[in-house]
Amino acid sequence: MSGIGEGEFINLYKKLFEFYGKQNWWPVDYEYHTIHKTNPREEIVIGAILTQNTSWRNVEKALGNLKKAKALSFEGMRKIPLEKLKELIKPSGFYKQKAVYLKNFVEIFRNIDDLKNISREELLKIKGIGRETADVILLYALDRLSFVIDAYTKRLLMRLWNIEGSYEEIKELFERNLPKDLEIYKEFHALIDVHCKEFCRKKPVCKYCPLVDICNFSSR
DNA sequence: GCCCAGGGCACTG
DNA sequence: CAGTGCCATGGG
């Protein structure tokens, strides 16, 4: 698919890490889960569904509402009625379908331990869980080596090296060229998202971009 | 007012 | 398998 290999990927990761620093994704309110004796990994699953095609800012509002209702866990989410759940997550958009996805998910999986041995294929069969959401759950909630691809990742590869491909192709490209290291998988995806919000936006802001020296975009 | 945001589903060709 | 319409809120 391209002549881009291991060196380029590691170099990209290093450059982003040096510029932005450690991101510590996925963001979770550990204090809340300590107080309520709930599992922070369940918040990651919930957040992964809420953030589908939605700004994180709006997701935070929904997460805040869920906290107030003590519903930021699989069990808590089961206890509230569907209509109530819709109201709580309204700020995250697409709230009717997301509420149904969440309800269905926490009925199938009673708690995070029920996901222990889940496969990617099994996750993808669940309504509302597509490739990206499945990979977010696998990587950030379950500590599995599954690289997450999103619109930012595709855009960045296109601009950097003129690479395009299907979700699975891009995913495979990253996984083939990266060390099998959880921290790198987690941080790399986070760094790509941060970078694409800052500089590699839909309308790119190439001035002061930390990747100018390795990017072909401006010269195309 | 328009554009966009840490996608996924259902349907079509 | 690739393309399209739809879902919805809040910030810039």
Side-chain angles (χ1 to χ4, degrees), chain A residues 193-209:
Chain A
D193 282 21
V194 170
H195 175 67
C196 287
K197 283 178 193 168
E198 285 269 321
F199 294 97
C200 212
R201 303 180 182 177
K202 221 160 199 179
K203 292 188 64 165
V205 186
C206 298
K207 199 174 183 181
Y208 308 127
C209 173

Side-chain angles (χ1 to χ4, degrees), chain A residues 1-217:
Chain A
M1 182 164 58
S2 72
I4 303 297
E6 197 169 325
E8 284 80 1
F9 277 85
I10 300 293
N11 189 35
L12 171 61
Y13 174 68
K14 284 183 178 170
K15 278 189 176 298
L16 290 174
F17 193 94
E18 282 166 16
F19 189 83
Y20 296 102
K22 192 161 159 50
Q23 300 301 310
N24 294 304
W25 270 25
W26 189 276
V28 161
D29 185 347
Y30 290 104
E31 193 181 340
Y32 172 90
H33 296 289
T34 303
I35 294 171
H36 297 280
K37 303 185 190 313
T38 44
N39 193 317
R41 293 173 188 273
E42 294 183 2
E43 177 179 344
I44 297 175
V45 175
I46 294 166
I49 292 172
L50 291 179
T51 197
Q52 290 169 356
N53 202 42
T54 301
S55 64
W56 185 251
R57 192 182 193 87
N58 282 4
V59 174
E60 285 180 316
K61 295 177 188 297
L63 292 174
N65 290 342
L66 291 172
K67 287 178 198 172
K68 288 180 207 160
K70 295 183 172 48
L72 194 53
S73 68
F74 289 5
E75 185 184 3
M77 199 150 278
R78 275 194 298 276
K79 285 181 176 170
I80 56 174
L82 178 62
E83 293 307 312
K84 176 67 176 172
L85 180 57
K86 287 181 185 172
E87 288 307 308
L88 294 174
I89 68 169
K90 201 167 211 165
S92 75
F94 307 123
Y95 63 93
K96 295 176 188 172
Q97 32 179 309
K98 284 176 181 175
V100 172
Y101 295 161
L102 286 167
K103 272 288 187 187
N104 177 58
F105 195 95
V106 300
E107 285 301 329
I108 298 173
F109 305 102
R110 310 297 290 183
N111 57 61
I112 194 71
D113 291 329
D114 286 349
L115 288 162
K116 211 83 177 178
N117 297 311
I118 193 89
S119 69
R120 187 168 189 265
E121 291 66 35
E122 288 175 295
L123 273 177
L124 289 174
K125 287 177 188 165
I126 297 161
K127 193 155 298 187
I129 310 298
R131 303 175 214 275
E132 183 182 341
T133 308
D135 288 331
V136 167
I137 292 172
L138 290 168
L139 179 61
Y140 293 103
L142 303 175
D143 288 329
R144 308 269 199 89
L145 279 170
S146 192
F147 201 86
V148 179
I149 306 301
D150 59 9
Y152 288 149
T153 313
K154 290 186 175 180
R155 186 163 76 211
L156 183 62
L157 284 201
M158 185 59 182
R159 297 227 174 109
L160 277 178
W161 303 317
N162 206 22
I163 293 177
E164 57 183 340
S166 69
Y167 186 100
E168 303 297 338
E169 286 170 340
I170 303 286
K171 175 182 173 69
E172 211 258 327
L173 188 59
F174 272 88
E175 296 186 349
R176 181 159 24 98
N177 290 296
L178 287 177
K180 305 241 171 292
D181 183 308
L182 264 182
E183 280 303 298
I184 292 179
Y185 274 44
K186 290 182 181 181
E187 288 301 314
F188 204 172
H189 172 68
L191 287 164
I192 289 171
D193 282 21
V194 170
H195 175 67
C196 287
K197 283 178 193 168
E198 285 269 321
F199 294 97
C200 212
R201 303 180 182 177
K202 221 160 199 179
K203 292 188 64 165
V205 186
C206 298
K207 199 174 183 181
Y208 308 127
C209 173
L211 302 180
V212 273
D213 53 328
I214 62 169
C215 184
N216 290 314
F217 183 68

